[in-house]
Amino acid sequence: MITEFHLPDLGEGLTEAEVVQWLVKPGDPVALNQTVAEMETAKAVVELPSPYEGTVSTLHAEAGDTVAVGAPLIAFDVAGDEPEGDEPASDAEEKTEPNLVGYGAAPASSGRPARRARRGTAATSSAAAAEAAVIEAAPHDALPPSEAEPVTGERPRSTPPVRAYAKRLGVDLVLVAAEVGDRVITRSDVDAYAERIGATGSATTTASGGETTDAPRTASAPPGGERAQTRIPIRGVRKHTAQAMVRSAFTAPHVTTFHTVDVTATMDLIEQLRADKALADHRIGPLVMIAKAVCLALGRNPSLNATWDEDAGEIVENHFVDLGIAAATERGLIVPIIRDAERLSLTGMADALTRLTQTARSGKTSPAELAGGTFSITNIGVFGIDAGTPILPPGQSGILAVGAVRRQPWEYRGEIALRQMMTLSVSFDHRLVDGAEGSRFLKDVADLLEQPGRAMLY
């Protein structure tokens, strides 16, 4: 019989999702938990598994359509006499529940221990959790897209964002795969192929006279002298970013403090650790050292790790650090979370950052991994920028911007010497954090980077 499947909440109370691409068509047989579509929410691209075993009957939306949570998405022809709805078709299927990316493992297969209970859960739920921010930078240790986890199956090997990008340009990834061979296809591969064949995607272009037309979006620049405009729909990550940043900027009174730090000792220590063969499996870089210093400094300055709960009239101090790290992806800039970062050793922090960036670059970061951070780090230094005034992620009271490391003359032990310098910028919510405590936090981070041995005193 025909059974309708309605779009579920893909995580954190999101109300809609866009169909990136269908992986099945009407008439195709499907197995339980087989991926049938890739859906883009405001936070991530997720793979949608089939909740039934049967045959695809109808697709209620096309690629590029936005579907509301609860709306019919796909219909299946399922054997048996079950009533229509979203329940599994048999007892056997109940034992193997569909596993939606973002929800974690299904109950029957979940073997992970439950996280400890935390105080102040109201401060990290509902709207605040749903507004995990996208920040203006990427970590130094971000891995190149070519190191992303490959997508298995008979499809060309690429990540969900690259497949969506190729679809917008009208590029067939099967043909790209024939040129690049057996490796993961990157966005640059798609661009190169599109330029050669003159591929186009859809966009709305406004001519100089003001008339709006549905014109193709080309992979190359418009002809010289033509006054043209390209209109790109505001959706997905960009739409969510705009809403979250406006809400944060007009809710929390921002203050930013700057401090230039001599990080020569930290950079020397990094070189020593990288030369240690026993640590060869760990990617220890500047961001790892900074993340560790931030966790230690937050323990001494708890208001930077707190949340303003307007409804309850309370300041919620978190006795754990869920550390957000900005990561550049082809979908945009996202901030996945390292849970309980204060518990990690230096090598543990390095491994967590590596996993975080690999997952983000492969487009597999789930909505749950983007929600509920307590403090964030954004690395503007990767762009050669020295300092900035980052906007707070909604619900957080502090964010640290990390500038570029530059070798420059500096006073050292009474003389002028060439030292490796970095500027740190911390923005904080002045409702929770006084200027003195914000400055103390920044000074604590700076002291740990200037003299990394001081970490032994914390």
Side-chain angles (χ1 to χ4, degrees):
M1 66 178 303
I2 302 300
T3 303
E4 297 283 353
F5 176 59
H6 299 79
L7 180 66
D9 178 357
L10 297 179
E12 303 299 336
L14 300 175
T15 60
E16 63 184 21
E18 178 184 337
V19 180
V20 175
Q21 68 171 337
W22 287 105
L23 305 180
V24 295
K25 62 183 183 297
D28 284 355
V30 293
L32 181 67
N33 281 330
Q34 176 183 332
T35 301
V36 296
E38 289 172 352
M39 308 292 296
E40 182 175 20
T41 71
K43 296 181 180 180
V45 173
V46 298
E47 295 181 341
L48 191 67
S50 170
Y52 306 103
E53 180 176 358
T55 303
V56 177
S57 174
T58 307
L59 303 180
H60 292 298
E62 298 181 357
D65 289 351
T66 299
V67 181
V69 169
L73 181 66
I74 183 173
F76 298 91
D77 188 352
V78 180
D81 297 326
E82 303 85 346
E84 293 190 7
D86 288 343
E87 283 76 22
S90 66
D91 291 341
E93 290 181 2
E94 289 179 359
K95 297 178 183 179
T96 311
E97 298 181 5
N99 182 8
L100 294 178
V101 174
Y103 286 104
S109 62
S110 177
R112 297 180 61 186
R115 287 172 57 83
R116 70 182 188 278
R118 293 177 166 178
R119 298 176 57 189
T121 54
T124 57
S125 62
S126 87
E131 289 179 349
V134 176
I135 309 177
E136 309 86 353
H140 276 299
D141 297 47
L143 300 181
S146 61
E147 295 184 34
E149 181 181 348
V151 178
T152 58
E154 297 181 357
R155 292 176 292 158
R157 300 174 65 206
S158 63
T159 61
V162 171
R163 292 197 290 275
Y165 179 65
K167 184 176 182 63
R168 288 197 297 271
L169 291 183
V171 171
D172 187 344
L173 288 182
V174 174
L175 301 178
V176 180
E179 293 191 358
V180 304
D182 187 23
R183 67 169 174 81
V184 177
I185 298 172
T186 66
R187 185 181 180 121
S188 60
D189 294 329
V190 175
D191 285 336
Y193 184 85
E195 184 174 357
R196 285 196 299 274
I197 68 172
T200 61
S202 61
T204 301
T205 298
T206 303
S208 57
E211 181 181 357
T212 299
T213 59
D214 289 329
R217 178 181 186 174
T218 61
S220 57
E226 179 181 337
R227 291 173 56 83
Q229 294 177 328
T230 299
R231 293 180 176 268
I232 303 171
I234 301 172
R235 59 178 55 162
V237 168
R238 180 53 54 195
K239 178 179 179 181
H240 180 71
T241 301
Q243 294 172 342
M245 293 298 97
V246 169
R247 182 185 293 261
S248 176
F250 288 96
T251 301
H254 286 56
V255 175
T256 305
T257 302
F258 305 85
H259 186 46
T260 301
V261 188
D262 184 343
V263 294
T264 306
T266 287
M267 300 305 291
D268 290 345
L269 177 58
I270 290 172
E271 291 303 315
Q272 295 173 24
L273 296 176
R274 285 175 171 172
D276 189 337
K277 293 182 179 179
L279 303 176
D281 294 335
H282 308 284
R283 295 171 56 91
I284 299 177
L287 189 63
V288 175
M289 305 296 288
I290 293 167
K292 185 64 177 177
V294 162
C295 290
L296 294 173
L298 288 175
R300 291 164 54 94
N301 304 276
S303 66
L304 273 294
N305 195 46
T307 301
W308 182 275
D309 190 339
E310 183 73 32
D311 295 335
E314 297 175 336
I315 293 174
V316 182
E317 288 190 353
N318 301 301
H319 302 289
F320 53 89
V321 179
D322 281 354
L323 188 63
I325 304 291
T329 74
E330 293 185 357
R331 293 182 63 245
L333 294 157
I334 63 175
V335 188
I337 308 299
I338 299 176
R339 307 290 178 187
D340 300 313
E342 83 286 357
R343 296 183 170 190
L344 298 177
S345 64
L346 194 63
T347 54
M349 186 72 75
D351 295 343
L353 280 168
T354 297
R355 289 192 297 270
L356 176 150
T357 44
Q358 285 178 328
T359 302
R361 287 298 181 86
S362 65
K364 296 181 180 295
T365 305
S366 69
E369 294 172 305
L370 296 169
T374 63
F375 188 92
S376 292
I377 298 175
T378 173
N379 187 354
I380 58 179
V382 72
F383 303 112
I385 305 301
D386 295 322
T389 56
I391 296 178
L392 290 166
Q396 298 181 25
S397 62
I399 175 174
L400 182 72
V402 178
V405 177
R406 299 191 185 280
R407 190 170 176 83
Q408 62 188 62
W410 197 256
E411 191 276 331
Y412 178 69
R413 296 181 179 176
E415 298 181 352
I416 300 297
L418 283 176
R419 307 290 290 175
Q420 298 195 70
M421 309 301 299
M422 170 191 290
T423 298
L424 302 175
S425 316
V426 62
S427 291
F428 53 87
D429 185 341
H430 216 338
R431 296 175 301 176
L432 294 81
V433 184
D434 295 331
E437 185 159 15
S439 299
R440 281 196 299 268
F441 166 79
L442 193 57
K443 187 62 166 60
D444 283 344
V445 174
D447 287 346
L448 288 165
L449 296 178
E450 288 180 341
Q451 303 177 55
R454 291 178 64 92
M456 300 295 292
L457 301 175
Y458 278 66

